[in-house]
C-alpha cells in the first residue's frame, strides 16, 4: 500500500458488531516491520495494523488524515439501504455476484473511489439481500429474503411492543391509569412466575429483561415489588396459593353449567325422599360460613326414645358422576379456607345456594337417624335421602348462650347436647384420645387482621360429636354392605407412659406431647379402626360441598340406598381416593402457610406488645430452640432461649424482628422489670 491510501480497519478486540456500530477510517502513513502498517486517523492518532485488521482499501486516490471527515460527508447521501433492493432484483434474475465496484456502477452509475466505498458500506451492512462470499457478494434466494423480511418485521414489532410496554410500566409506577395490551401479558406473566418461583421459574428471560431495563435487582423479591408498584398485586399477595396447582377461578364452561343447573335442575334420582320438614333443624356454624352443609334435629319417639337426626347437605342432587361439575370438584378436591376468603370446590351460586341447608328453605339432604343406648353406643340407625327445612341459622356463640341459659322453648337443643356428651363419654370408654390444643381463627377484613382463639365450647363439642356419629354410621353401613367407600383409619399410637405424662403440666403441654405421637390418618376402601376417635369403622360424609371424598361417599351410599349399581367400582374408588390425596394435602399446606404469613404479619403490626407465652416442648434442646404457645392468640411459634427453661413455664415475650414474606420471626424474653417497662 502506498502512503495516503484510505483504509477501513478494526482494532484488536473489536467485534463484527462493533464494526457495524462504529467504522474506523485512517490513512496509511508507513510500513512497520515486515507485515504491519502505521495508519493515522482523522485526529492524527497513530495505529499499528496487521493486514488482517484492514477490512477495506479505498483505491484510485490518496488522502490526508484531515480529509477523512470530508470523505464521510461525501458518501452520506449514497448510504440508503433501500437502494439495494433494486440491485438485488436485477442481479437475482441474472444470478450474478458483484464486488463493491460493480455495485457502485449498478447503484450510482459511477465508480469513483468514494462511491465504491459507499457500495461496500451498504453491502457489508446488509443482512437481507446479499451474502458475502470472499470479496464478492451474491444475491440471496427470493424465499430466503422473504423469510428474513418476515423476521425483521417481527423484530421491529417486538421492539415497538417492548418500548410501549416500558412506557406503560413507567406510567403505572407513577400511579397513572394504564390499559395493558395483549402483548404485555406474556411479560407480566413472566414477572409473576419469577416472583413466585424465583430461580426455579421457567422462561425467566422476559422478567429479567424488564427488571434490568428498570434498573432493579434481578431477584424474585424485586419482581414481587415491581408487581406491587404496578398495582397488579397487593403487598400481601398470596404466593403460596400462586405456587400451588389450585385453580382460583372457574372456567366459563363450569360457570355455564352451574347456571343451567340453577335454572333447570336435573331430575332428582331420589324421588321418594323421606319428608322431615316437620322437624326442628338447627344449623350451627361460624358467623362467616356460607356453605351450610349440616344440620341437627332430634325426634321424640312414642316409646320414649329419642332419634337423633344428622342432616347433611346433598350436592349430588345437583350433579351427576362424570359431568363438568363433578370433574371440576375432583380437580379441586376441597374448598380452601384462607384468612382473606375461601376458594370453593363448587361455584358459589350453587355451593351457598341450593346445595346448602339454608334457613327457611326446603332442602334436599342425606339424613342419618340414630338411636343411642344408655351408654352412648349406636343402638339403631337409618340413612335416608330426605327433605328438611332448617329452622335456625345459629353461631356457636348463640348455641353456647342458649345451652347456658337453658331456654325452655328449645328442649331439642338441650337433648342433642346431652346426647353429644353421652357419645363423648362412650368414645372415651372405647379408647378415644382427646387432644385439646388451643386453635386460632385468622380473618382479614379490609386489611385488618383479626385473630380469635376458638374455645373448646359446648356448642363445638356438640357439633363435632354429631359429625363423628354420622361418620360412624356411614362407615358401619358401608362395612355391612361391603361398599367401596373412602374409609378413614388411624393406627394406635405409642403414647408416653402414664408416669411420663403425669410429669407434664395438664393442658396444652401434656396434649402437645400426646399430639407428637399421633400417626397420620389414612384413607382406603377397607374399613379399619380409627384410634383417636375410638371407632372401629369411620368414613367422613359431613362436608360433601367442601370435600370431594365426602361427595364420593354420598354418591356410593345414595346409589346403594336406591338399589342401583354403584357409580364407582372398587378400582375406580381406589383410584379416586389416590387422585384426591395429593391436591388435598397441597390445599392443607397452602392453608397452613397462609395462616402462618398472616400470623407473622399480625405480630409485625403489634411488635410493641408484650405476649404471655407457655413453653410447650423443645424442638432442638441442644440449640435452646423451643416451641411456645402465645396464649392470647392461640399461636404456636418457635423461639430460641438464652437460658434453661422448664416445660410448662410461663414467660413474657416480645417480637424483636419479623419478616412475614421471608417467614422469619425472632422473640426475646422479658424480665419482670422489662415487662413492666414495656407495659407502661
Amino acid at each position: 500500500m502506498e502512503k495516503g491510501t484510505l483504509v477501513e480497519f478494526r482494532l484488536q478486540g473489536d467485534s463484527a458488531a462493533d464494526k457495524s456500530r462504529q467504522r474506523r477510517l485512517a490513512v496509511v502513513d508507513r510500513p512497520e516491520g515486515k507485515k504491519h502498517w502505521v495508519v493515522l486517523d482523522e485526529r492524527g492518532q497513530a495505529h499499528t495494523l496487521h493486514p488482517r485488521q484492514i477490512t477495506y482499501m479505498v483505491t484510485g486516490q490518496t488522502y490526508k488524515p484531515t480529509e477523512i471527515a470530508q470523505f464521510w460527508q461525501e458518501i452520506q447521501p449514497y448510504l440508503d439501504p433501500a437502494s439495494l433492493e433494486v440491485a438485488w432484483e436485477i442481479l437475482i434474475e441474472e444470478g450474478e455476484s458483484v464486488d463493491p465496484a460493480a455495485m457502485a456502477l449498478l447503484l450510482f452509475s459511477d465508480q469513483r473511489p468514494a462511491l465504491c466505498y459507499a457500495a461496500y458500506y451498504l453491502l457489508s451492512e446488509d443482512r437481507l439481500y446479499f451474502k458475502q462470499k470472499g470479496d464478492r457478494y451474491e444475491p440471496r434466494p427470493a424465499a430466503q429474503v422473504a423469510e428474513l423480511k418476515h423476521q425483521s418485521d417481527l423484530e421491529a414489532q417486538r421492539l415497538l411492543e417492548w418500548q410501549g410496554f416500558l412506557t406503560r410500566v413507567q406510567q403505572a409506577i407513577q400511579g397513572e391509569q394504564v390499559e395493558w395490551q395483549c402483548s404485555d401479558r406474556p411479560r407480566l406473566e413472566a414477572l409473576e412466575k419469577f416472583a413466585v418461583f424465583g430461580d426455579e421459574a421457567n422462561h425467566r428471560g422476559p422478567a429479567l429483561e424488564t427488571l434490568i431495563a428498570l434498573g432493579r435487582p434481578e431477584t424474585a423479591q424485586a419482581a414481587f415489588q415491581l408487581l406491587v408498584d404496578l398495582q397488579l398485586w397487593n403487598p400481601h399477595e398470596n404466593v403460596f396459593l400462586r405456587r400451588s396447582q389450585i385453580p382460583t377461578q372457574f372456567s366459563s364452561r363450569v360457570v355455564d353449567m352451574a347456571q343451567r343447573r340453577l335454572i333447570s335442575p336435573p331430575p332428582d334420582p331420589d324421588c321418594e325422599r323421606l319428608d322431615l320438614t316437620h322437624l326442628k333443624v338447627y344449623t350451627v356454624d361460624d358467623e362467616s360460613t356460607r356453605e351450610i352443609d349440616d344440620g341437627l334435629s332430634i325426634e321424640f319417639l312414642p316409646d320414649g326414645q329419642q332419634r337423633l337426626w344428622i342432616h347433611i347437605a346433598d350436592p349430588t342432587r345437583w350433579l351427576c358422576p362424570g359431568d363438568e361439575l363433578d370433574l371440576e370438584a375432583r380437580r379441586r378436591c376441597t374448598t380452601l379456607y384462607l384468612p382473606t376468603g375461601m376458594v370453593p370446590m363448587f361455584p358459589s351460586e350453587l355451593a351457598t345456594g341450593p346445595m346448602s341447608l339454608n334457613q327457611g328453605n326446603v332442602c334436599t339432604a342425606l339424613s342419618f337417624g340414630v338411636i343411642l343406648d344408655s351408654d352412648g353406643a349406636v343402638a339403631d340407625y337409618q340413612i335416608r335421602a330426605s327433605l328438611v327445612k332448617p329452622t335456625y341459622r345459629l353461631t356457636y356463640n348463640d348455641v353456647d348462650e342458649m345451652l347456658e341459659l337453658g331456654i325452655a322453648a328449645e328442649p331439642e337443643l338441650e337433648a342433642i347436647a346431652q346426647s353429644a356428651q353421652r357419645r363423648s363419654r362412650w368414645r372415651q370408654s372405647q379408647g378415644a384420645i382427646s387432644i385439646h390444643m388451643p386453635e386460632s381463627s385468622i380473618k382479614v377484613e379490609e386489611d385488618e387482621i383479626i385473630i380469635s382463639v376458638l374455645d373448646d365450647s359446648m356448642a363445638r363439642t356438640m357439633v363435632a360429636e354429631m359429625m363423628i356419629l354420622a361418620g360412624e354410621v356411614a362407615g358401619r353401613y358401608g362395612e355391612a354392605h361391603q361398599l367401596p367407600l373412602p374409609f378413614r383409619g388411624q393406627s394406635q399410637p405409642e403414647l408416653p407412659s402414664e408416669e411420663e405424662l403425669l410429669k407434664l403440666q395438664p393442658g396444652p403441654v401434656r396434649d402437645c406431647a400426646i399430639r407428637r405421637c399421633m400417626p397420620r390418618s389414612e384413607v382406603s376402601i377397607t374399613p379399619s379402626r380409627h384410634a383417636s376417635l375410638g371407632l372401629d369403622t369411620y368414613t367422613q360424609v359431613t362436608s360433601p360441598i367442601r370435600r370431594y371424598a365426602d361427595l364420593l361417599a354420598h354418591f356410593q351410599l345414595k346409589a346403594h340406598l336406591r338399589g342401583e349399581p354403584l357409580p364407582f367400582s372398587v378400582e375406580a374408588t381406589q383410584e379416586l381416593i389416590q387422585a384426591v390425596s395429593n391436591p388435598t394435602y397441597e390445599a392443607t399446606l397452602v392453608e397452613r402457610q397462609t395462616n402462618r404469613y398472616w400470623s407473622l404479619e399480625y405480630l409485625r403490626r403489634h411488635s410493641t406488645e408484650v405476649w404471655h407465652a407457655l413453653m410447650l416442648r423443645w424442638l432442638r434442646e441442644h440449640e435452646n430452640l423451643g416451641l411456645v404457645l402465645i396464649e392470647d392468640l392461640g399461636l404456636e411459634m418457635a423461639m430460641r432461649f438464652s437460658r434453661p427453661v422448664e416445660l410448662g413455664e410461663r414467660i413474657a415475650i416480645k417480637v424483636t424482628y419479623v419478616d412475614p414474606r421471608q417467614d422469619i420471626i425472632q422473640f426475646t424474653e422479658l424480665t419482670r422489670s422489662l415487662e413492666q417497662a414495656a407495659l407502661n
Side-chain angles (χ1 to χ4, degrees), residues 8 133 231 245 340 345 414 457 466 512 526 531 537 539:
E8 181 188 273
K133 284 288 185 73
Q231 300 177 49
Q245 300 300 311
T340 49
M345 188 171 78
E414 179 67 31
S457 68
M466 292 300 102
C512 183
T526 306
T537 182
T539 186

Side-chain angles (χ1 to χ4, degrees), residues 607-619:
S607 58
T608 60
E609 299 243 4
V610 175
W611 304 103
H612 295 287
L614 177 68
M615 173 58 172
L616 292 176
R617 69 179 179 90
W618 289 109
L619 297 173

Side-chain angles (χ1 to χ4, degrees), residues 569-597:
S569 66
V570 172
E571 294 77 14
T573 304
Q574 184 68 57
E575 289 176 5
L576 275 175
I577 289 172
Q578 292 174 347
V580 302
S581 61
N582 284 341
T584 301
Y585 174 76
E586 185 177 35
T588 302
L589 187 61
V590 169
E591 288 178 344
R592 187 181 303 136
Q593 291 169 326
T594 306
N595 281 326
R596 165 82 177 179
Y597 173 86

Side-chain angles (χ1 to χ4, degrees), residues 3 163 204 391 416:
K3 182 181 176 68
Q163 292 169 341
R204 291 183 295 134
T391 315
I416 295 170

Side-chain angles (χ1 to χ4, degrees), residues 236 240 339 442 449 451 592-607 611 630 633 635-638 655 657-667:
H236 303 292
F240 314 112
I442 306 175
I449 309 170
I451 299 183
R592 187 181 303 136
Q593 291 169 326
T594 306
N595 281 326
R596 165 82 177 179
Y597 173 86
W598 285 107
S599 299
L600 298 191
E601 177 62 16
Y602 181 89
L603 290 169
R604 187 190 69 80
R605 297 182 187 186
H606 297 80
S607 58
W611 304 103
I630 301 177
L633 302 176
L635 299 177
E636 296 179 25
M637 295 282 168
V655 173
Y657 177 77
V658 60
D659 185 340
R661 187 61 62 194
Q662 298 300 315
D663 191 26
I664 299 172
I665 187 165
Q666 295 169 1
F667 298 94

Side-chain angles (χ1 to χ4, degrees), residues 113-253:
L115 297 185
C116 288
Y117 178 74
Y120 159 76
Y121 186 109
L122 289 171
L123 287 167
S124 60
E125 286 283 315
D126 176 58
R127 298 291 179 270
L128 183 60
Y129 297 107
F130 294 89
K131 57 185 175 182
Q132 187 174 2
K133 284 288 185 73
D135 293 332
R136 300 184 67 80
Y137 296 82
E138 61 182 37
R140 297 179 187 273
Q144 189 176 13
V145 169
E147 177 59 25
L148 289 172
K149 280 185 175 180
H150 176 65
Q151 294 299 328
S152 178
D153 291 343
L154 289 179
E155 180 59 26
Q157 179 65 25
R158 196 200 77 84
L159 183 59
L160 190 64
E161 291 173 352
W162 167 243
Q163 292 169 341
F165 172 69
L166 288 180
T167 299
R168 287 185 287 278
V169 165
Q170 295 288 6
Q171 290 171 339
I173 290 173
Q174 292 165 12
E176 297 179 31
Q177 201 70 20
V178 168
E179 185 175 340
W180 298 103
Q181 304 299 307
C182 293
S183 59
D184 299 334
R185 194 61 242 168
R187 293 186 176 91
L188 295 174
E189 287 177 352
L191 277 171
E192 291 173 352
K193 288 179 180 177
F194 186 46
V196 171
F197 296 104
D199 291 338
E200 297 177 6
N202 294 326
H203 197 48
R204 291 183 295 134
L208 297 175
E209 184 182 27
T210 300
L211 292 169
I212 291 169
L214 296 173
R216 300 197 178 201
E218 298 169 52
T219 64
Q221 293 85 352
F224 184 99
Q225 187 57 49
L226 176 57
L227 290 163
V228 173
D229 294 343
L230 295 176
Q231 300 177 49
L232 296 173
W233 282 10
N234 70 63
H236 303 292
E237 192 71 25
N238 193 332
V239 294
F240 314 112
L241 181 58
R242 285 183 171 273
R243 195 175 291 139
S244 74
Q245 300 300 311
I246 300 169
T248 57
Q249 302 293 328
F250 289 98
S251 68
S252 58
R253 193 170 59 249

Side-chain angles (χ1 to χ4, degrees), residues 274-331:
L274 178 63
D275 190 342
L276 298 176
T277 54
H278 61 284
L279 293 179
K280 190 181 290 185
V281 178
Y282 304 91
T283 65
V284 187
D285 284 285
D286 288 313
E287 189 173 356
S288 60
T289 302
R290 294 293 174 262
E291 296 175 340
I292 313 298
D293 52 13
D294 58 80
L296 304 175
S297 298
I298 194 163
E299 183 180 7
F300 299 106
L301 302 176
D303 60 2
Q305 293 193 96
Q306 298 175 356
R307 179 181 286 121
L308 293 163
W309 284 101
I310 303 109
H311 311 291
I312 307 301
D314 183 13
T316 64
R317 163 70 183 88
W318 304 91
L319 65 151
C320 305
D323 69 12
E324 289 288 347
L325 291 171
D326 176 48
L327 295 177
E328 182 68 13
R330 287 186 208 178
R331 190 161 73 100

